[in-house]
Amino acid sequence: MASVKPVVVYPPAADGGRRVRVDDQFLGIAYGLLDIAEFLRRAGIEDADETYVAASGLIEWRGGGPDSWGAGTADDLA
């Protein structure tokens, strides 16, 4: 059974990369919205682009939203 938000973007690592998972499948490390859009296109969401990624209700952002890409700091964890 799929979760309500099947796409999870994890907090930034020390290098700024964020792990991306869809349901139980790890898709890769993203370094920006374009990377996530490409992962989603490969997963079957053909019209995914940076705007879609930033606004999608399917994505659960952990440790900061779509504008948090630096190394994790206290400010990024909002």
Side-chain angles (χ1 to χ4, degrees):
M1 179 175 176
S3 64
V4 174
K5 293 191 178 192
V7 181
V8 177
V9 179
Y10 290 89
D15 66 355
R18 299 178 75 164
R19 292 181 299 132
V20 180
R21 178 177 55 82
V22 173
D23 289 327
D24 61 349
Q25 181 179 5
F26 173 73
L27 298 182
I29 304 290
Y31 291 90
L33 297 178
L34 188 59
D35 291 336
I36 296 174
E38 180 60 25
F39 294 153
L40 295 180
R41 283 193 292 268
R42 291 179 186 177
I45 302 174
E46 295 177 13
D47 58 348
D49 62 13
E50 291 171 286
T51 303
Y52 175 89
V53 170
S56 177
L58 295 175
I59 298 175
E60 176 184 341
W61 295 92
R62 295 185 182 173
D67 57 349
S68 295
W69 293 95
T73 64
D75 292 26
D76 291 335
L77 300 177

